[in-house]
């Protein structure tokens, strides 16, 4: 497959200046009555650069749609989700597109110790805590601001001992869609007491289209820039603290591998595992590509791990436009610190201290073969490229 791109690390400041043509619109998505607060409006914000568009809602600071054309200019939504707020409020929602916090992934026994004080968390997966507890950041209403730099900033203040976590945590998620099809997501947080923090986005990607199911996902090719993964306890899916080399295992994605064949190698079970990408500099974490449509996704982040999850437990969920999402309907690439790091000493620390700033940069770079310009051509887009973009805008208005 001839879609691999150069591993050029984007400059964040330069990227965010490339948002001049992006249009941002805001409308009411839903109205909720929240106990002790009253009626609250949920907003939908759309970022549109004329080639692709992204929908966000401030319930859970959630990505609800990413619309991207294929090489024939047919537009598809490439992330799983729901048509309305009822779906996102449902117990059947497996965190579609949400911001996860305070701590994504699992914490063993729903507890940890800081400075000889033991903290007990809400437990929502047996005796353990998953994705922030019973009411994590994915279930909060975030304050929304649209800046004059074409960015959307969502913020949430988590009070001391919410879900059992110590300290007041002030969190922001900043979204920027660039003219050249990068979606830049920057998570920041500060605290007034030591507390673990590990934020991520939980989008479910299927570049064949959100409604193409396992058949579409199995056509993908995946590469993950990792030589090791964290060994799991098979009963709890919590890391043991040991690192395992990917060599000669089903977890070796150092070169592009067909997703369908990779899942077959797990006897059809699929993947739900943290890969060790090492370091905390911004670099390529993974690449995903779908040759039939020409679409590809490159994931950059500055965190040491990424959770590959192939929707193993998705079963009969009614999603957008009546689509039924089942097992292996999509995959997640959740960039993160290692799971349960607060309880495993040899993992990178997840503790955030007062006067420190937590920063997680996550970038999704989208490309469509034969449609988007190359990196070398981005600054000098020729007339043919402009014609393609104008045609894309006209076709979009017809839909």
């Amino acid at each position: 497959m001839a879609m691999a791109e150069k591993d050029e690390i984007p400059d964040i400041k330069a990227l965010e200046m490339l948002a001049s043509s992006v249009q941002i619109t805001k409308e009411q998505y839903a109205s909720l009555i929240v106990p002790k607060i009253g009626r609250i409006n949920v907003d939908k914000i759309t970022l549109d650069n004329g080639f692709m568009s992204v929908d966000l809602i401030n319930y859970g600071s959630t990505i609800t749609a990413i619309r991207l054309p294929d090489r024939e200019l047919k537009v598809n939504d490439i992330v799983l989700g729901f048509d309305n707020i009822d779906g996102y409020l449902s117990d059947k929602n497996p965190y579609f597109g949400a911001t996860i916090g305070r701590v994504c992934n699992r914490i063993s026994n729903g507890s940890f110790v800081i400075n000889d004080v033991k903290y007990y968390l809400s437990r929502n997966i047996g005796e353990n805590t998953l994705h922030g507890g019973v009411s994590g950041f994915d279930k909060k209403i975030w304050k929304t601001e649209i800046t004059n730099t074409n960015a959307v900033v969502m913020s949430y203040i988590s009070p001391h001992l919410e879900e059992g976590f110590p300290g007041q945590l002030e969190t922001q998620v900043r979204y920027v869609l660039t003219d050249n099809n990068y979606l830049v997501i920057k998570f920041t947080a500060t605290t007034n007491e030591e507390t673990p923090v590990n934020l991520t986005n939980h989008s479910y990607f299927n570049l064949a289209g959100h409604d193409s199911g396992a058949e579409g996902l199995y056509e993908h090719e995946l590469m993950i820039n990792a030589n090791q993964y964290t060994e799991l306890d098979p009963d709890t899916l919590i890391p043991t603290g040991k690192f395992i080399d990917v060599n000669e295992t089903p977890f070796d994605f150092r070169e592009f591998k067909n997703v369908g064949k990779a899942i077959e190698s797990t006897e059809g079970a699929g993947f739900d595992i943290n890969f060790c990408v090492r370091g905390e500099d911004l670099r390529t974490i993974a690449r995903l590509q779908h040759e039939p449509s020409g679409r590809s996704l490159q994931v950059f982040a500055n965190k040491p791990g990424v959770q590959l999850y192939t929707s193993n437990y998705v079963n009969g969920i009614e999603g957008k436009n009546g689509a039924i999402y089942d097992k292996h309907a999509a995959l997640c690439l959740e960039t993160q610190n290692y799971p349960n790091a607060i309880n495993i000493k040899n993992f990178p620390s997840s503790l955030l201290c007062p006067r420190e700033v937590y920063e997680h940069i996550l970038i999704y770079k989208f490309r469509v073969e034969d449609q988007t310009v190359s990196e070398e051509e981005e600054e000098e887009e020729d007339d043919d490229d402009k014609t393609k973009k104008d045609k894309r805008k006209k076709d979009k208005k017809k839909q």
Side-chain angles (χ1 to χ4, degrees), residues 54 69 121 153 291 314 317:
V54 177
L121 310 177
V153 178
E291 198 282 333
V314 172
I317 298 175

Side-chain angles (χ1 to χ4, degrees), residues 16-198:
E16 293 194 353
M17 293 176 65
L18 294 172
S20 59
S21 70
V22 175
Q23 294 184 341
I24 301 178
T25 56
K26 179 180 176 181
E27 62 185 274
Q28 182 174 312
Y29 182 76
S31 182
L32 300 177
I33 296 178
V34 179
K36 300 181 181 180
I37 297 177
R39 186 172 295 279
I40 291 181
N41 289 333
V42 176
D43 299 321
K44 182 177 85 169
I45 301 93
T46 299
L47 301 90
D48 191 330
N49 70 2
F51 183 81
M52 64 172 289
S53 62
V54 177
D55 288 349
L56 311 167
I57 60 173
N58 64 325
Y59 176 79
S61 190
T62 298
I63 296 173
T64 61
I66 298 177
R67 288 173 291 271
L68 186 68
D70 63 11
R71 60 163 59 92
E72 303 300 326
L73 293 176
K74 178 183 177 182
V75 177
N76 290 107
D77 188 345
I78 60 168
V79 291
L80 275 56
F82 299 103
D83 287 324
N84 53 54
I85 194 63
D86 292 339
Y88 291 100
L89 293 172
S90 169
D91 291 341
K92 292 186 177 181
N93 177 15
Y95 307 95
F96 283 151
T99 294
I100 306 299
R102 288 187 190 189
V103 176
C104 65
N105 222 298
R106 293 164 172 82
I107 295 178
S108 62
N109 300 312
S111 64
F112 53 82
V113 175
I114 299 177
N115 297 327
D116 298 324
V117 176
K118 189 164 188 177
Y119 294 90
Y120 294 90
L121 310 177
S122 64
R123 299 176 179 182
N124 58 338
I125 185 165
E127 294 299 308
N128 306 303
T129 298
L130 174 68
H131 289 337
V134 174
S135 183
F137 287 5
D138 61 294
K139 297 177 179 65
K140 306 301 182 183
I141 305 292
W142 294 61
K143 181 181 177 182
T144 304
E145 177 189 2
I146 299 173
T147 74
N148 58 8
T149 56
N150 285 1
V152 177
V153 178
M154 295 192 184
S155 56
Y156 175 69
I157 298 177
S158 176
H160 175 56
L161 295 182
E162 182 174 58
E163 298 300 301
F165 290 97
Q168 176 175 289
L169 190 76
E170 298 188 16
T171 305
Q172 284 192 343
V173 186
R174 189 171 192 268
Y175 300 90
V176 175
L177 177 64
T178 70
D179 299 343
N180 53 347
N181 308 319
Y182 288 77
L183 178 59
V184 181
I185 305 175
K186 184 176 181 180
F187 307 87
T188 56
T190 57
T191 183
N192 60 359
E193 291 188 34
E194 287 185 78
T195 191
V197 181
N198 193 12

Side-chain angles (χ1 to χ4, degrees), residues 210-224:
H210 78 96
D211 55 357
S212 66
E215 182 179 354
L217 185 69
Y218 293 165
E219 297 172 335
H220 288 62
E221 304 283 325
L222 174 65
M223 186 278 288
I224 299 176

